[in-house]
């Protein structure tokens, strides 16, 4: 088994901030817009370095999305920043018409996704955003797993021409992927090789999947762990190749099982090779207040839940 | 670059009709020619919606003078359409349902062949029910239809121009009923607070919306006072269907840009203007004339430049 080391826990939103800071220096077309959450989104450094390219829009997300769409006309590459809830549900129609249908080069960068936002509770947590965004034709949907990957993704989406939804989170989590990695949009990352079960994970659940694979290994079961950071376009080939060996799959995500990564994977399998699948995801519910760890446990979003799902799906083969 | 100051865009009516489609961004000149174009635009609007028995003639007819004035007299436009619109004035239509007038004036200003108006709302057409960039129609820079989004996009484009040291202007048209959408007021607040002074937003004050008069559906009170309270420089065009008055008003607005405030034009128009039975009512907001009604409507607007 490959060994992965946590080089020091960091929040994924800081990876976004670091990426944006770098882009500020390297790409003069990059502009940033924020709806009164500059500190939470870690956009302060960009703001300080490039005040002329930073736009504080106030608590007015609809206008922010529309402005971002307009700024692409003239060649700017706008990065919008607010919480995932306010980046998607609150402004769905603005994104749909002004960004997606108009195919504008806007990067919608969303922090505090999922239940790990924690104590603020369900009004600020969102477990439906991946579904909302992946349903939009032409929208690229990315959910990164750690600081390094989030930074790399932030840099990569600036080079891509088209609308992107980049989803990341609030809490400090293990930082285990390579520093200065190349991020390939739409390309799955193989983390462990195995023949008994495929575990496909996204976002904060990737580290949990690696822990689960170790537990399964202790029980003599070899799990293939794949990090799907791009939910759309999905790396169908990576999934199909893996299940051709393992013949069963667990999907793991901090999102509702309706509309998330798991459903995207199900469709690919149903169309090509129907395969037993278990979903580690929230089950059509809102979140609530609590610490991130408490919430991940209560809603079945940790390594223990992945192990349980893996054993169940292996038995269904 | 077509420069309206030098009036190099003047062409005779015959040349316009014959070569209009091949010459991008042709600009007509004297008032008589422009009046003729307005009448032809009204015919285009009526014939587009009649053919497919759908679309929005009321608001379109009310804004014919505005569009002709804007595209023929005001905007400093580049010969070829580019999405980025650098070093030229650009326009966003926020109330996308009045696409018939937008399409007619775009076509007759050389952005695409006038004959293409025949495809309005048909399957596989670039002339969708509401304007979109999706089908690549020259002259359209953002989709609109779901209301309330145009001012935000215009602010973004205006900021882009400032960053690019491009001194050209951004124009937008909104319906008055459209101001009921909350996003407008986010944008109106932002534009004043951030001195977006290369932006001219026109409000089509026809007092009508689908369910009735704006006063009955959701009274908006003193729109002028509201814009002024938000910090905009507001001017009124009392006779929004008098071409000369519209041109004068738009030029006045243009002269007031660059002074630290966004500009709002309150354009008083009559919905359905130019067709007697369509005027002063919301009934023709989204309803096409039948064969007999079309005949009457067209008889009130005889051919000037030639039908497509």
């Amino acid at each position: 088994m490959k060994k992965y080391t946590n080089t020091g826990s960091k929040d994924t939103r800081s990876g976004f901030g670091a990426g944006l800071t770098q882009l500020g220096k390297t790409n003069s077309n990059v502009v940033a817009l924020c709806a009164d959450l500059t500190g939470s989104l870690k956009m302060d450094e960009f703001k300080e370095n490039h005040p002329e390219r930073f736009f504080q829009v106030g608590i007015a997300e609809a206008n922010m999305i529309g402005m971002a769409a307009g700024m692409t006309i003239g060649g700017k590459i706008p990065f919008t920043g607010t919480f995932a809830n306010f980046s998607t549900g609150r402004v769905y129609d603005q994104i749909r018409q002004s960004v997606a249908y108009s195919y504008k080069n806007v990067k919608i960068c969303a922090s505090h996704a999922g239940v790990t936002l924690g104590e603020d509770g369900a009004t600020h947590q969102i477990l439906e955003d991946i579904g909302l965004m992946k349903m939009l034709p032409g929208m690229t949907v990315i959910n990164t797993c750690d600081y390094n990957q989030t930074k790399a993704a932030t840099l990569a989406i600036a080079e891509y021409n088209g609308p992107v939804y980049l989803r990341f989170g609030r809490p400090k989590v293990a930082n285990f992927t390579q520093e200065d990695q190349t991020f390939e949009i739409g390309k799955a990352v193989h983390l462990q090789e195995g023949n008994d079960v495929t575990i496909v994970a996204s976002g904060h659940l990737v580290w949990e999947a690696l822990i689960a694979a170790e537990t399964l290994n202790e029980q003599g079961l070899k799990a293939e762990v794949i990090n799907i950071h791009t939910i759309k376009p999905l790396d169908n080939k990576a999934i199909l190749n893996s299940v051709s060996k393992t013949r069963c799959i667990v999907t793991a995500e901090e999102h509702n099982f309706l509309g998330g990564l798991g459903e995207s994977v199900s469709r690919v399998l149903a169309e090509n090779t129907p395969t037993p699948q278990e979903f580690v995801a929230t089950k059509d519910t809102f979140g609530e207040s609590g610490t991130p760890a408490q919430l991940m446990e209560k809603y079945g979003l940790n390594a223990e839940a992945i192990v349980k799902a893996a054993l169940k799906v292996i038995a269904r083969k | 670059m077509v420069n309206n100051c030098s009036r190099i865009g003047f062409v005779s009516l015959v040349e316009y009709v014959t070569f209009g489609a091949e010459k991008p961004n042709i600009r007509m000149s004297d008032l008589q020619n422009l009046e003729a174009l307005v009448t032809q635009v009204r015919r285009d609007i009526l014939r587009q919606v009649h053919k497919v028995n759908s679309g929005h003639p009321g608001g379109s007819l009310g804004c014919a003078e505005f569009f002709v004035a804007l595209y023929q007299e005001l905007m400093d436009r580049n010969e070829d359409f580019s999405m980025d619109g650098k070093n030229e004035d650009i326009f966003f239509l926020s109330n996308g349902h009045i696409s018939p007038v937008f399409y007619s004036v775009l076509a007759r200003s050389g952005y695409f062949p006038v004959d293409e108006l025949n495809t309005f709302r048909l399957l596989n057409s670039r002339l969708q029910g509401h304007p979109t960039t999706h089908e690549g129609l020259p002259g359209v820079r953002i989709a609109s239809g779901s209301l309330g989004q145009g001012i935000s996009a215009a602010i973004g484009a205006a900021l882009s121009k400032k960053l690019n040291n491009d001194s050209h202007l951004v124009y937008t048209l909104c319906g008055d009923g459209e101001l009921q959408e909350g996003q407008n007021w986010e944008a109106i607040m932002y534009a004043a607070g951030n001195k977006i002074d290369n932006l001219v937003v026109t409000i089509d004050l026809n007092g009508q919306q689908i369910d009735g008069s704006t006063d009955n559906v959701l009274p908006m009170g003193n729109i002028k006072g509201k814009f002024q309270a938000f910090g905009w420089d507001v001017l009124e065009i009392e006779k929004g269907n008098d071409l000369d008055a519209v041109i004068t008003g738009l030029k006045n607005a243009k002269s007031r840009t660059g002074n630290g405030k966004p500009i709002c034009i309150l354009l008083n128009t009559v919905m359905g203007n130019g067709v007697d039975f369509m005027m002063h009512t919301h009934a023709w907001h989204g309803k096409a004339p039948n064969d007999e009604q079309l005949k009457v409507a067209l008889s009130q607007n005889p051919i000037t430049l030639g039908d497509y």
Side-chain angles (χ1 to χ4, degrees):
Chain A
M1 273 190 102
K2 282 188 197 165
K3 281 282 170 201
Y4 290 91
T5 309
N6 176 9
T7 58
S9 292
K10 286 183 176 180
D11 44 1
T12 50
R13 57 185 164 141
S14 286
F16 164 68
L20 192 64
T21 297
Q22 190 169 320
L23 283 173
K25 292 168 186 160
T26 58
N27 191 334
S28 61
N29 281 323
V30 168
V31 296
L33 300 88
C34 188
D36 197 29
L37 287 167
T38 312
S40 295
L41 266 288
K42 307 293 180 187
M43 297 168 94
D44 312 78
E45 208 170 337
F46 182 96
K47 180 189 171 184
E48 278 169 33
N49 294 346
H50 315 282
E52 76 289 355
R53 285 194 271 145
F54 178 82
F55 300 89
Q56 170 62 265
V57 301
I59 311 165
E61 295 82 6
N63 185 43
M64 176 172 74
I65 295 296
M67 277 176 55
M71 292 181 89
T72 65
I73 298 164
K76 302 303 160 203
I77 307 171
F79 282 63
T80 66
T82 182
F83 290 175
N85 190 18
F86 314 135
S87 291
T88 59
R90 186 165 186 103
V91 289
Y92 196 65
D93 188 47
Q94 285 76 18
I95 295 175
R96 181 176 183 273
Q97 177 171 286
S98 292
V99 176
Y101 186 42
S102 297
Y103 205 71
K104 297 303 183 197
N105 192 22
V106 175
K107 316 302 172 187
I108 300 159
C109 302
S111 183
H112 293 55
V115 292
T116 50
L117 173 148
E119 293 81 352
D120 277 350
T123 56
H124 285 52
Q125 298 161 347
I126 190 162
L127 297 162
E128 309 93 47
D129 54 323
I130 290 174
L132 288 168
M133 291 296 110
K134 79 176 186 182
M135 288 275 284
L136 292 170
M139 181 67 75
T140 291
V141 179
I142 296 169
N143 183 25
T144 49
C145 69
D146 71 356
Y147 174 96
N148 287 341
Q149 190 178 71
T150 309
K151 182 180 175 188
T154 304
L155 299 176
I157 62 176
E159 299 298 316
Y160 167 80
N161 184 29
V164 174
Y165 179 59
L166 177 62
R167 179 195 212 236
F168 42 89
R170 174 179 182 245
K172 287 184 176 171
V173 293
N175 188 28
F176 59 96
T177 65
Q178 276 198 326
E179 203 179 345
D180 299 324
Q181 61 192 277
T182 302
F183 186 92
E184 283 186 70
I185 296 170
K187 183 87 175 148
V189 182
H190 278 76
L191 295 175
Q192 294 290 6
E193 302 292 328
N195 292 315
D196 294 314
V197 59
T198 300
I199 302 172
V200 165
S202 194
H204 292 151
L205 269 292
V206 178
W207 180 248
E208 299 296 323
L210 288 171
I211 297 169
E214 283 179 15
T215 307
L216 290 166
N217 189 50
E218 286 162 15
Q219 298 177 28
L221 294 166
K222 305 287 182 200
E224 180 138 302
V225 179
I226 300 174
N227 169 210
I228 296 273
H229 50 59
T230 309
I231 289 136
K232 183 186 173 187
L234 193 63
D235 190 343
N236 298 359
K237 204 172 157 189
I239 294 162
L240 292 171
N241 282 346
S242 183
V243 298
S244 72
K245 289 189 300 182
T246 63
R247 294 182 296 113
C248 66
I249 190 165
V250 172
T251 51
E253 61 192 310
E254 191 182 344
H255 189 273
N256 194 349
F257 73 156
L258 302 175
L261 166 68
E263 277 200 351
S264 288
V265 170
S266 291
R267 182 188 54 76
V268 172
L269 295 174
E271 282 178 346
N272 293 279
T273 173
T275 304
Q277 177 179 358
E278 290 293 326
F279 297 78
V280 172
T282 56
K283 306 290 161 60
D284 199 18
T285 181
F286 291 105
E288 63 181 287
S289 293
T291 67
Q294 287 170 335
L295 292 163
M296 293 293 264
E297 188 183 348
K298 176 165 179 177
Y299 289 91
L301 300 173
N302 55 16
E304 196 184 335
I306 295 171
V307 169
K308 209 169 145 188
L311 294 174
K312 191 174 172 189
V313 84
I314 289 168
R316 289 174 57 201
K317 276 204 258 188
Chain B
M1 176 72 71
V2 179
N3 185 330
N4 65 321
C5 298
S6 64
R7 303 237 169 190
I8 58 169
F10 176 80
V11 286
S12 74
L13 292 185
V14 174
E15 281 174 326
Y16 186 86
V17 173
T18 311
F19 302 112
E22 288 79 34
K23 289 185 178 179
N25 302 346
I26 282 173
R27 200 179 283 277
M28 301 186 76
S29 179
D30 65 43
L31 196 60
Q32 202 178 355
N33 283 352
L34 293 178
E35 293 280 14
L37 178 54
V38 168
T39 305
Q40 191 62 50
V41 166
R42 285 198 207 114
R43 290 183 67 88
D44 290 351
I45 293 165
L46 292 161
R47 294 176 69 241
Q48 283 177 85
V49 299
H50 169 262
K51 183 180 176 187
V52 291
N53 193 27
S54 71
H56 298 80
S60 295
L61 288 166
C63 290
E65 290 84 359
F66 169 80
F67 274 89
V68 166
L70 187 69
Y71 275 81
Q72 293 294 323
E73 280 291 309
L74 262 294
M75 283 170 69
D76 189 12
R77 299 179 281 113
N78 289 339
E79 296 265 344
D80 298 315
F81 176 74
S82 78
M83 181 56 76
D84 275 343
K86 286 183 178 170
N87 301 311
E88 63 175 327
D89 293 340
I90 62 175
F91 170 74
F92 294 97
L93 177 64
S94 190
N95 48 335
H97 56 275
I98 66 166
S99 56
V101 64
F102 191 26
Y103 292 154
S104 169
V105 172
L106 284 179
R108 291 189 182 272
S109 300
Y111 284 95
F112 56 85
V114 176
D115 277 353
E116 203 169 335
L117 297 175
N118 259 317
T119 70
F120 175 63
R121 287 185 170 234
L122 295 181
L123 191 64
N124 300 321
S125 172
R126 297 196 294 181
L127 277 62
Q128 292 288 297
H130 294 79
T132 174
T133 58
H134 197 258
E135 322 300 330
L137 186 69
V140 181
R141 289 195 171 83
I142 202 158
S144 59
S146 177
L147 295 171
Q149 302 186 31
I151 302 179
S152 299
I155 291 170
L159 284 168
S160 219
K161 287 204 176 293
K162 283 177 182 271
L163 287 169
N164 290 335
N165 295 316
D166 175 353
S167 60
H168 287 80
L169 301 177
V170 179
Y171 292 93
T172 311
L173 178 67
C174 302
D176 49 0
E178 184 180 10
L179 292 177
Q180 291 161 4
E181 291 282 6
Q183 182 182 346
N184 287 305
W185 300 99
E186 296 181 4
I188 290 164
M189 196 185 304
Y190 183 94
N194 291 277
K195 300 181 170 56
I196 312 298
D197 58 3
N198 52 347
L199 172 68
V200 178
V201 172
T202 300
I203 308 299
D204 175 19
L205 282 182
N206 60 28
Q208 307 288 337
Q209 57 190 109
I210 295 177
D211 277 358
S213 74
T214 49
D215 281 344
N216 284 332
V217 177
L218 178 58
M220 287 178 290
N222 182 350
I223 294 177
K224 183 177 186 179
K226 284 185 166 73
F227 269 94
Q228 285 173 332
F230 274 81
W232 286 55
D233 182 7
V234 186
L235 62 105
E236 276 193 86
I237 300 178
E238 297 289 347
K239 295 179 178 175
N241 295 114
D242 175 334
L243 185 60
D244 203 10
V246 175
I247 292 169
T248 304
L250 280 168
K251 285 184 175 171
N252 181 17
K254 186 174 183 173
S255 73
R256 286 154 72 160
T257 57
N259 288 316
K261 286 184 174 187
I263 310 292
C264 170
I265 300 173
L266 299 178
L267 181 73
N268 289 280
T269 69
V270 174
M271 198 181 230
N273 186 62
V275 177
D276 58 8
F277 62 88
M278 291 186 174
M279 292 169 71
H280 303 291
T281 169
H282 64 271
W284 296 91
H285 166 88
K287 183 183 155 191
N290 62 26
D291 293 351
E292 191 52 38
Q293 289 162 334
L294 177 73
K295 207 171 150 187
V296 175
L298 291 180
S299 74
Q300 296 171 13
N301 294 279
I303 295 179
T304 55
L305 304 182
D307 287 338
Y308 56 85

